[in-house]
Amino acid sequence: MTTVTPDAEMPPMESTPRPIALRSLGDRPLVSVLISNYNYEGFVGAAIESVREQTYERLEIIVVDDGSTDSSAEVIRSHADADDRVRLIAQENRGQAAAMNVALRAAKGPILCLLDADDRFAPNKVAEVVAHLGPGTAGMFVHRLQVVDEHDVASQTIPLLASFEQGWLGEKILARGGRWRQVPTSGISFVAAAADEVFPIPEEAFRISADSFVFTLMPLCTTVAAVDDVLGFYRLHGANSYGESGIDLASVKKTLESMTGATEEVNARLRTRTSGVQIDVTRHLTYLENRYLVPLFEGERRTALLAAYTSLVPHIVKDDLYGWTTKCAALFLYGVAILLPVRRRPAWISSGFGLSRARELLRKLVR
């Protein structure tokens, strides 16, 4: 079993990061929308259509089909035949990061928007992106997403209750071990100068969840603009890479492994920057929470679990992203779990994270 000991004092952070210089992009800049697709024949058409119907029309839509075995390519090609702003690039299956890299290399616009092939944009999404990134005061733009199922039935939003942070967030994100109120792929837009700091995304490490590399690294390179309006629709469905199972020991270990691996890749890229900053994942509250769950699910002695809980409490209490309602709920959830039989703990923790869709979203965001 895992031996649980209170955390040692966190090490000091390294150098202070600095945002890149930005410039105004002029009137009506070209916007490149980048879509990576793999076997989403039932959704990719709606994704493309949502971009074609934007109120801001000066855009290009680059769709990279990553070796789909269904009729995706035919669906994409039909849109390309109907609208010369749509371009299909077909490649052998190499993963999401490779598809994003190819799409970015083909892009011509100084502003870029990412879109998952199973998601959709709201009609005014691109216009809002231009309004916030065009003046050259921010290099990255994020917005609220509405979560929907395969039938477009809405549930929660991302983020659920809290508002976004804006401006230069580098020091805060480093202090939190890479954590901020990030959003998945379809809520992320940026200028080409910021893309130069992040792309190419490491392809072998990010065959899936390539957005985690982008939303972790980019705000350490540039300023962030945000709105709390819903400008996109994030779809959770049976064909996602994330199923409907609850949180268990295997999923917790997978989350920890994914967070560690993603941080290593981001740090490797950061070492190429002159600031030399590095992310310490042990500062990341989600990492600490999942690390607490491992011995909890493995059946460690209650005395050891109590010591681990006591160590986790101050990190939750001092956190500057969680509200007090969330903090109290988390403390109650983790504390009561110690008293339960081992076999009941995963279900208890899973129920505490809400509906199954919310749980799957949480796991995607921390990869």
Side-chain angles (χ1 to χ4, degrees):
M1 291 184 181
T2 303
T3 301
V4 184
T5 57
D7 287 331
E9 184 177 348
M10 289 185 174
M13 289 181 295
E14 298 187 32
S15 308
T16 302
R18 292 286 183 265
I20 60 173
L22 300 170
R23 62 178 178 81
S24 173
L25 301 178
D27 295 333
R28 297 186 61 77
L30 176 67
V31 176
S32 301
V33 179
L34 314 181
I35 303 175
S36 61
N37 175 79
Y38 177 68
N39 284 350
Y40 276 163
E41 61 182 1
F43 300 116
V44 67
I48 297 171
E49 193 67 27
S50 76
V51 185
R52 293 178 61 191
E53 294 176 349
Q54 290 293 301
T55 59
Y56 187 93
E57 297 180 348
R58 189 162 188 263
L59 51 81
E60 62 176 358
I61 308 166
I62 300 173
V63 190
V64 176
D65 185 65
D66 188 41
S68 293
T69 58
D70 62 6
S71 62
S72 290
E74 288 76 10
V75 173
I76 299 166
R77 191 171 291 110
S78 68
H79 285 275
D81 291 342
D83 190 331
D84 60 10
R85 297 176 301 173
V86 182
R87 178 181 176 188
L88 166 63
I89 302 176
Q91 66 177 28
E92 295 182 357
N93 181 251
R94 294 164 49 201
Q96 189 180 43
M100 283 188 179
N101 290 339
V102 168
L104 185 116
R105 286 195 294 269
K108 299 176 181 177
I111 294 178
L112 306 108
C113 303
L114 302 182
L115 176 60
D116 271 342
D118 53 343
D119 295 345
R120 293 182 290 114
F121 283 169
N124 61 328
K125 154 73 181 260
V126 175
E128 287 290 328
V129 171
V130 172
H132 286 84
L133 295 183
T137 55
M140 183 180 189
F141 176 69
V142 293
H143 58 78
R144 197 175 298 274
L145 292 167
Q146 175 68 62
V147 180
V148 298
D149 66 11
E150 61 267 36
H151 305 296
D152 286 328
V153 177
S155 53
Q156 74 274 9
T157 62
I158 314 168
L160 182 58
L161 298 174
S163 297
F164 289 104
E165 301 169 285
Q166 298 192 57
W168 174 237
L169 308 177
E171 287 85 358
K172 289 183 178 180
I173 292 173
L174 280 178
R176 303 184 193 122
R179 181 167 164 263
W180 64 298
R181 287 197 180 98
Q182 70 270 1
V183 291
T185 304
S186 301
I188 301 173
S189 303
F190 43 86
V191 299
D196 290 342
E197 300 292 320
V198 175
F199 286 77
I201 303 170
E203 296 184 1
E204 284 303 313
F206 295 99
R207 290 188 63 85
I208 63 172
S209 300
D211 55 348
S212 64
F213 186 80
V214 178
F215 66 57
T216 302
L217 178 56
M218 190 166 285
L220 295 175
C221 304
T222 190
T223 50
V224 177
V227 296
D228 288 322
D229 300 329
V230 170
L231 296 178
F233 301 88
Y234 175 88
R235 195 184 305 275
L236 284 174
H237 53 88
N240 287 97
S241 297
Y242 306 90
E244 290 294 321
S245 60
I247 298 171
D248 57 16
L249 181 60
S251 66
V252 168
K253 288 184 175 181
K254 184 177 180 180
T255 294
L256 289 169
E257 181 182 358
S258 297
M259 292 186 71
T260 301
T263 302
E264 289 174 353
E265 294 290 343
V266 169
N267 281 339
R269 185 64 58 83
L270 284 171
R271 283 193 289 273
T272 67
R273 292 173 51 83
T274 56
S275 61
V277 300
Q278 294 283 274
I279 294 173
D280 180 1
V281 73
T282 64
R283 296 177 182 270
H284 199 302
L285 184 55
T286 304
Y287 177 87
L288 295 173
E289 289 173 311
N290 277 272
R291 195 173 69 177
Y292 168 77
L293 294 180
V294 172
L296 184 75
F297 291 170
E298 286 181 335
E300 182 61 273
R301 299 185 316 277
R302 284 190 171 93
T303 53
L305 291 174
L306 183 59
Y309 178 76
T310 302
S311 177
L312 179 63
V313 166
H315 296 295
I316 295 175
V317 170
K318 292 186 295 185
D319 182 69
D320 62 348
L321 280 182
Y322 279 168
W324 275 106
T325 300
T326 303
K327 291 179 181 181
C328 291
L331 293 171
F332 175 77
L333 182 76
Y334 297 138
V336 170
I338 297 174
L339 306 176
L340 298 176
V342 175
R343 68 180 184 280
R344 291 185 56 193
R345 291 171 184 172
W348 168 256
I349 296 295
S350 295
S351 66
F353 282 106
L355 299 174
S356 60
R357 288 184 173 85
R359 296 197 300 271
E360 299 310 317
L361 174 60
L362 174 66
R363 282 204 289 274
K364 178 167 184 175
L365 289 178
V366 301
R367 285 185 64 85

